[in-house]
Amino acid sequence: LDRYVRGQEEHLRKEEDIVIPIARQVLAAADWEDIDRAFHAHRDPFFGIGAAGPIGSLIPRAVGPT
């Protein structure tokens, strides 16, 4: 379990430190809208159903106000 948790933490850290900053630089508003629509339709078995799940919509938190 500890190894799994560490792996998840590292995965999230890479997203926050590497992926999201690059995405903020290269994606346009329309790209984020497409991503947000896809996320809303996604059903995650661990974190709930799309934006209705406990993690909510990640896009506004990732890019901030547009």
Side-chain angles (χ1 to χ4, degrees):
L1 181 60
D2 289 337
R3 187 172 60 180
Y4 173 79
V5 170
R6 283 192 307 274
Q8 290 299 307
E9 289 172 339
E10 180 63 22
H11 174 90
L12 292 172
R13 194 172 10 266
K14 286 179 182 177
E15 286 180 352
E16 293 173 359
D17 295 345
I18 299 169
V19 176
I20 296 299
I22 292 171
R24 285 180 174 154
Q25 292 176 358
V26 300
L27 297 177
D31 299 321
W32 287 108
E33 291 169 8
D34 289 342
I35 293 167
D36 203 31
R37 276 192 297 278
F39 179 76
H40 276 73
H42 178 69
R43 295 179 179 270
D44 189 307
F46 295 108
F47 296 111
I49 300 173
I55 60 172
S57 179
L58 296 176
I59 303 309
R61 288 188 287 192
V63 299
T66 55

